[in-house]
Amino acid sequence: MAAAALFWAASAIFAQDGNGLTEEVFYLLPKMGSGTVYFNGKAPANGELNICAVDNTVRYMDKGVELAVGIDDSMARVVIDGNIFVPYEGVFLRLYPFGEDQGVAVRRNVTIMNDSKTGAYGMESNTTAVTSIIGFSDTSSAQVFTLEEGRDTPYRMSHTVYVYRDGNIMTLNKRNLQRAFPEAKDKIEAYFSEHKKLENNDPEKVIALVKEWTGN
């Protein structure tokens, strides 16, 4: 499925404040899916996976229990039901590819507004990683959040858009867009000549523009 089609099929509300975390905000995908974690230098791990947008842990199921593991330095990417996530500075970015090794990467920023909840989030729970199940590294000391703990918690959600090319994550600007999509260099130049800048907090707009520029 083309990048834009994947985007529209799984798009969410892209900026909002709320008084209780929902599954749509808490997880990067609507539900667990068949996934693979790819590592540098070792075999991949498979399972029913999702990613938590609050703590950026990979979530997986074992005997009906949701378990979690934090980002490992050796993780290269996570693919769940065809959706690609790449680690970047301690968080997962969702990659929307446009052609080979080029695309747009989106970070979901979920900020917990109620500091009184912090203590509860750090407590041991059933989501603490049991890493022998599918071969993840040991991250049992990582802070783990649960959806139930956040049901009444005020939060703020926004997104940050990046440019992706050949494994590199780059700031969204004219120069990097032209580096990522050289076939659309003139169209990108024309856009910035008229609009001067492109905000990095509107994934729908950026992806629609890239689709227009590249014809994908």
Side-chain angles (χ1 to χ4, degrees):
M1 186 182 293
L6 277 172
F7 174 76
W8 298 119
S11 63
I13 299 172
F14 279 105
Q16 69 177 37
D17 292 353
N19 291 318
L21 291 169
T22 63
E23 291 186 2
E24 290 78 13
V25 173
F26 190 79
Y27 297 105
L28 292 183
L29 290 174
K31 61 181 180 179
M32 290 270 182
S34 178
T36 302
V37 182
Y38 294 93
F39 298 93
N40 297 312
K42 60 180 180 179
N46 302 307
E48 289 295 304
L49 307 178
N50 208 333
I51 295 174
C52 175
V54 179
D55 62 14
N56 277 274
T57 55
V58 178
R59 301 299 176 98
Y60 61 101
M61 299 301 295
D62 176 61
K63 299 177 181 177
V65 177
E66 182 177 303
L67 304 176
V69 62
I71 294 179
D72 186 287
D73 288 342
S74 67
M75 286 183 182
R77 63 174 53 194
V78 180
V79 180
I80 307 173
D81 287 343
N83 301 288
I84 303 169
F85 301 90
V86 293
Y88 175 70
E89 296 186 346
V91 301
F92 281 105
L93 308 183
R94 184 169 177 175
L95 179 62
Y96 297 91
F98 285 86
E100 187 174 352
D101 294 325
Q102 59 187 152
V104 172
V106 178
R107 172 178 177 170
R108 180 181 298 178
N109 312 297
V110 178
T111 302
I112 303 300
M113 306 302 290
N114 186 348
D115 289 340
S116 66
K117 290 289 184 179
T118 302
Y121 286 150
M123 294 174 61
E124 294 291 317
S125 71
N126 285 338
T127 56
T128 299
V130 180
T131 59
S132 62
I133 302 300
I134 55 175
F136 286 123
S137 301
D138 181 17
T139 58
S140 58
S141 62
Q143 188 179 43
V144 173
F145 298 169
T146 69
L147 181 59
E148 288 305 314
E149 287 171 328
R151 287 295 188 185
D152 299 319
T153 303
Y155 70 90
R156 176 167 294 163
M157 182 177 71
S158 63
H159 289 77
T160 306
V161 184
Y162 299 87
V163 182
Y164 176 88
R165 178 75 188 197
D166 296 330
N168 296 309
I169 303 295
M170 300 177 288
T171 302
L172 180 71
N173 57 40
K174 182 180 75 171
R175 177 174 178 270
N176 289 335
L177 282 165
Q178 290 177 325
R179 288 175 61 190
F181 308 104
E183 71 279 16
K185 184 176 180 179
D186 291 343
K187 293 180 181 179
I188 295 170
E189 183 69 42
Y191 175 88
F192 279 91
S193 294
E194 180 178 355
H195 299 279
K196 304 306 178 186
K197 65 183 300 186
L198 177 59
E199 298 293 343
N200 70 350
N201 58 4
D202 190 341
E204 290 187 65
K205 179 178 181 179
V206 175
I207 290 173
L209 283 170
V210 173
K211 178 184 177 183
E212 178 184 335
W213 293 335
T214 62
N216 291 325

